[in-house]
Amino acid sequence: MPLRFARRLGLADAVTVANAAVGFLAVVAATVDVALAARLVLLAAVADGLDGVVARHRGSTPAGPYLDSLADVASFGVAPAALVAAVVRDGRSFATDPLLVAAGVGAGGLFVAAAVARLGLYTVDEDGARETVGVPTTLAATVLAAAVIAGYTAPLLLVAATAAFALLMGSTVTYPDLHAQDALVMGVVQAAVIVTPAGHMAMSALPAWIGEGFAFALLFLSCGYLLLGPRFYWGDGIRAPPGLRR
């Protein structure tokens, strides 16, 4: 029996749908291995960038923007929140530290709500624009995932970061889109973080610091854009908001 949507969706849409499936896998993995879950979040981020490339070269469909936002809710809203909740639950038990565990779950819920609201507004107001208002969900998810892989798994730190990102996603701070060459660099570093465990299994002599180095590099790049992008990244024909123009 042919699927109803098989003829209506394009190749870019298939990549987007796969992104959502990876987000689900990250949620499941968070209950078993938080490092694996973090890498799956990064894999979803790579797929999120890839669907845009495919859409530019192979064309897109009217459903594309809606599918993209739906997939992003799973991969960059629910999955990072589940990751943080799992790290907090692994580090603290509800019996001994109920307030922190409850805060971790609550911050995750707030993060998901903010991601849903932001992505919905993005689809309505900003699709196709070269800048976006509020911290992008993909950026927030990348920072949280890279932090976990780099070893920053203190429950209080992650809870605070998750709550802060929820507020920043709803802020009025304007971020320009990454330039193509910078997005490529970010994707390559993300891919390196993802495949490093396979490299260690294939070559036991591969130093452990190589994987850690890629994770720290990703955290450095993403935090750099998070903190400096709204003020210093404008260029390449993109005009800064009036308040930032000199």
Side-chain angles (χ1 to χ4, degrees):
M1 180 179 67
L3 295 176
R4 172 177 174 268
F5 48 75
R7 296 181 180 179
R8 300 186 61 183
L9 302 182
L11 181 59
D13 299 326
V15 177
T16 300
V17 172
N19 170 14
V22 174
F24 167 74
L25 294 177
V27 173
V28 175
T31 64
V32 180
D33 186 335
V34 293
L36 174 60
R39 285 185 167 86
L40 287 171
V41 170
L42 296 181
L43 178 60
V46 172
D48 185 56
L50 182 61
D51 66 5
V53 175
V54 174
R56 284 191 292 272
H57 288 83
R58 297 290 298 272
S60 59
T61 67
Y66 302 97
L67 292 174
D68 190 61
S69 290
L70 289 170
D72 287 357
V73 167
S75 297
F76 311 126
V78 178
L83 171 64
V84 171
V87 172
V88 173
R89 186 63 183 82
D90 287 346
R92 305 290 175 88
S93 71
F94 190 79
T96 59
D97 204 342
L99 290 179
L100 184 56
V101 174
V105 175
L110 183 63
F111 186 93
V112 172
V116 170
R118 188 199 181 285
L119 289 164
L121 292 174
Y122 176 86
T123 304
V124 172
D125 298 333
E126 302 174 20
D127 183 54
R130 299 185 68 187
E131 64 273 339
T132 184
V133 179
V135 169
T137 53
T138 308
L139 177 61
T142 296
V143 172
L144 292 174
V148 169
I149 296 171
Y152 295 104
T153 55
L156 187 59
L157 174 65
L158 287 179
V159 169
T162 303
F165 275 127
L167 297 177
L168 289 171
M169 280 191 281
S171 72
T172 57
V173 179
T174 302
Y175 281 81
D177 285 351
L178 281 174
H179 300 163
Q181 67 273 16
D182 296 333
L184 177 61
V185 170
M186 186 74 78
V188 169
V189 177
Q190 287 172 329
V193 175
I194 295 166
V195 303
T196 295
H200 282 127
M201 287 189 292
M203 295 181 290
S204 58
L206 194 66
W209 61 263
I210 291 180
E212 296 172 356
F214 283 128
F216 278 107
L218 179 58
L219 189 59
F220 176 80
L221 291 172
S222 54
C223 285
Y225 178 65
L226 171 69
L227 298 174
L228 302 178
R231 182 70 188 181
F232 299 107
Y233 195 74
W234 298 94
D236 191 26
I238 304 175
R239 298 183 65 189
L244 294 181
R245 294 176 191 161
R246 296 180 180 179

